[in-house]
Amino acid sequence: MVVVTDDRPADNEPAAAGDSRASTEPAASGPGPKRLPLLLVLAAVLYGLDLLTKSIAVAKLTPGDPVYLIGDVVRFSLVRNPGAAFSMATGMTWLLTLVAAGVVVAVIRIGSTLRSPWWAVGLGMVLGGALGNLTDRLFRAPGPLQGHVVDFMAVGWWPVFNVADSAIVCGAILLVALTVFGFEPDGTRSTGKAAAGKEDAA
């Protein structure tokens, strides 16, 4: 009598150690979606809002004739600003124009690799604000690279500002906070050297 044997392991038997078919590691989740669309949409909204409010301010306000909203604290006051945000560096208009253009290029390049929604929000705010003020530098009087930015909002003793200035400052604060608390542009969170040492020891 011929005995036929089958040396193949049963399907319900555990695979032997070292078997190439065995998988002891859980499937790694892929990286999150890229956040460039979120960055660009937010930047476009802020850019449009900045252009709209500046156009209204130029049409409705007269330099030197402020409109008071809440006592003497909150007011609209039209100012042509040759300097940076909040009227700083007023004698370096052309340099500020080049810096703003560089910021726009840098943000778009970084944004193409972003996977963190919060980083996209922060950079979108910076991009929208930079584009708003850059447009003034390029197209407003007295000429290209020398254009004066339209500022029209004033609160207390704070220098007169606009939507673009607010977006840049708020975006920068958000980015600093994300960096301090360890949120990375790729969507991960850094836990510090101590946690990394524990993982290495494990």
Side-chain angles (χ1 to χ4, degrees):
M1 182 174 65
V2 179
V3 179
V4 179
T5 62
D6 188 353
D7 294 333
R8 292 178 301 174
D11 292 340
N12 58 353
E13 290 181 3
D19 193 328
S20 61
R21 291 174 297 178
S23 176
T24 58
E25 304 237 350
S29 60
K34 291 188 176 181
R35 303 296 182 175
L36 182 59
L38 172 61
L39 186 157
L40 295 178
V41 168
L42 179 58
V45 170
L46 291 172
Y47 177 56
L49 182 61
D50 182 65
L51 293 183
L52 176 62
T53 53
K54 286 175 178 175
S55 297
I56 295 174
V58 170
K60 300 296 184 180
L61 299 177
T62 301
D65 185 16
V67 176
Y68 294 95
L69 301 178
I70 303 177
D72 294 336
V73 179
V74 181
R75 62 194 183 278
F76 290 143
S77 180
L78 183 62
V79 174
R80 303 283 184 162
N81 176 20
F86 307 112
S87 302
M88 295 184 293
T90 56
M92 305 176 66
T93 307
W94 66 271
L95 179 58
L96 295 171
T97 304
L98 298 180
V99 170
V103 168
V104 170
V105 173
V107 169
I108 293 176
R109 291 189 62 180
I110 296 172
S112 64
T113 64
L114 281 183
R115 297 187 185 277
S116 166
W118 288 111
W119 272 85
V121 169
L123 288 175
M125 295 174 74
V126 172
L127 177 60
L131 284 172
N133 284 341
L134 179 60
T135 300
D136 285 1
R137 303 283 184 205
L138 294 176
F139 298 108
R140 292 191 186 275
L145 299 182
Q146 300 289 332
H148 293 180
V149 173
V150 173
D151 291 334
F152 59 93
M153 295 186 292
V155 178
W157 52 268
W158 200 257
V160 185
F161 58 97
N162 55 39
V163 172
D165 295 337
S166 301
I168 292 171
V169 172
C170 292
I173 291 173
L174 176 58
L175 295 178
V176 170
L178 291 172
T179 301
V180 170
F181 289 103
F183 292 93
E184 302 292 341
D186 62 1
T188 62
R189 186 175 182 183
S190 173
T191 54
K193 294 182 179 179
K198 291 181 180 179
E199 291 178 359
D200 293 340

